Amino acid sequence: SQQGEEDPQALSIQEGENATMNCSYKTSINNLQWYRQNSGRGLVHLILIRSNEREKHSGRLRVTLDTSKKSSSLLITASRAADTASYFCATDAELYSGGGADGLTFGKGTHLIIQP
Amino acid sequence: AAGVIQSPRHLIKEKRETATLKCYPIPRHDTVYWYQQGPGQDPQFLISFYEKMQSDKGSIPDRFSAQQFSDYHSELNMSSLELGDSALYFCASSSDGHSGNTIYFGEGSWLTVV
């Protein structure tokens, strides 16, 4: 079953506005990561937030994590045309107490379009 | 900084043929992951290796196999290719294999099966 679900599936905003994307997941996690993907390109790591963290910032990005609701949000402030891309959350399920290379489970992604 | 290197970047094969994708992780990364992303789909985890041993297994078909070599590079072998195998295949790497480390992705290898 799908671990991560994101909404909205598509978001179109004007340049300069803030964009908020949400992600929900089903199982307990060790951490949650956000990635950006330009069409047909590789996944670029944006930010990792651990299960014991509630909020994290990186430049114009702000990520929150609510483990009680099993949800996370990604906020991009002062959006730019170059932010146009698909954004995925990916979770690392709490399957191992230590060691192991757990595969990430990705959500469906939010396609963000920034209009100039 | 060095990134994850994948080759080839594009590959066209016919049905029932075999294909091999290669992945060179970031230097000093000992963990490699393989993902498959179909058109318009989210990436699906296939398999991972930590210190040259298989670590976690996802939705990898029996027709596919993979291994990690002594220099930590990895190869994904796909046999009896089907049209549905057409996808973007990503390799990713991280250090220590432990949960909590950032996983870095390569640019992917486009496989088209005709």
Side-chain angles (χ1 to χ4, degrees):
Chain A
S1 61
Q2 188 66 40
Q3 169 74 325
E5 297 286 343
E6 285 157 76
D7 77 272
Q9 290 190 339
L11 179 63
S12 180
I13 61 173
Q14 295 293 318
E15 196 167 21
E17 293 182 335
N18 296 341
T20 299
M21 289 159 275
N22 302 298
C23 166
S24 61
Y25 57 91
K26 295 176 181 175
T27 64
S28 296
I29 62 170
N30 285 312
N31 62 69
L32 183 145
Q33 306 186 54
W34 284 90
Y35 289 85
R36 184 187 74 225
Q37 184 180 33
N38 290 87
S39 181
R41 301 295 301 275
L43 291 151
V44 176
H45 181 263
L46 296 177
I47 201 164
L48 179 152
I49 187 165
R50 302 183 194 282
S51 59
N52 62 353
E53 297 175 313
R54 291 297 165 258
E55 187 172 312
K56 207 161 182 180
H57 297 253
S58 176
R60 294 184 295 113
L61 305 180
R62 173 177 167 253
V63 167
T64 63
L65 179 64
D66 186 336
T67 52
S68 66
K69 295 181 180 178
K70 292 186 169 59
S71 66
S72 173
S73 68
L74 170 67
L75 168 68
I76 303 175
T77 59
S79 63
R80 305 167 182 169
D83 295 330
T84 294
S86 291
Y87 291 81
F88 293 91
C89 72
T91 53
D92 180 352
E94 194 179 48
L95 296 177
Y96 299 101
S97 58
D102 308 335
L104 295 176
T105 301
F106 283 81
K108 291 295 184 187
T110 293
H111 184 52
L112 176 65
I113 298 172
I114 308 300
Q115 314 230 12
Chain B
V4 177
I5 305 297
Q6 292 187 242
S7 68
R9 292 296 313 279
H10 299 270
L11 190 60
I12 299 175
K13 289 286 185 178
E14 294 189 356
K15 282 193 302 184
R16 293 180 287 279
E17 283 193 320
T18 297
T20 297
L21 305 181
K22 296 185 179 182
C23 169
Y24 297 87
I26 291 172
R28 291 180 294 283
H29 279 193
D30 51 18
T31 308
V32 167
Y33 312 78
W34 286 97
Y35 289 80
Q36 177 192 59
Q37 186 179 27
Q41 302 295 312
D42 54 291
Q44 295 290 318
F45 170 67
L46 294 178
I47 195 166
S48 63
F49 294 87
Y50 168 57
E51 279 294 342
K52 294 156 278 185
M53 300 284 289
Q54 182 180 310
S55 181
D56 194 10
K57 198 170 181 180
S59 54
I60 185 169
D62 291 341
R63 298 177 290 108
F64 292 9
S65 65
Q67 57 181 320
Q68 187 178 30
F69 294 86
S70 58
D71 63 350
Y72 294 103
H73 94 273
S74 177
E75 295 183 4
L76 177 67
N77 299 294
M78 300 173 282
S79 62
S80 303
L81 287 170
E82 302 173 357
L83 295 177
D85 296 329
S86 295
L88 183 56
Y89 289 83
F90 287 111
C91 173
S93 75
S94 68
S95 59
D96 291 340
H98 294 284
S99 176
N101 289 324
T102 299
I103 298 174
Y104 296 92
F105 283 75
E107 284 290 315
S109 292
W110 278 103
L111 171 66
T112 302
V113 181
V114 297

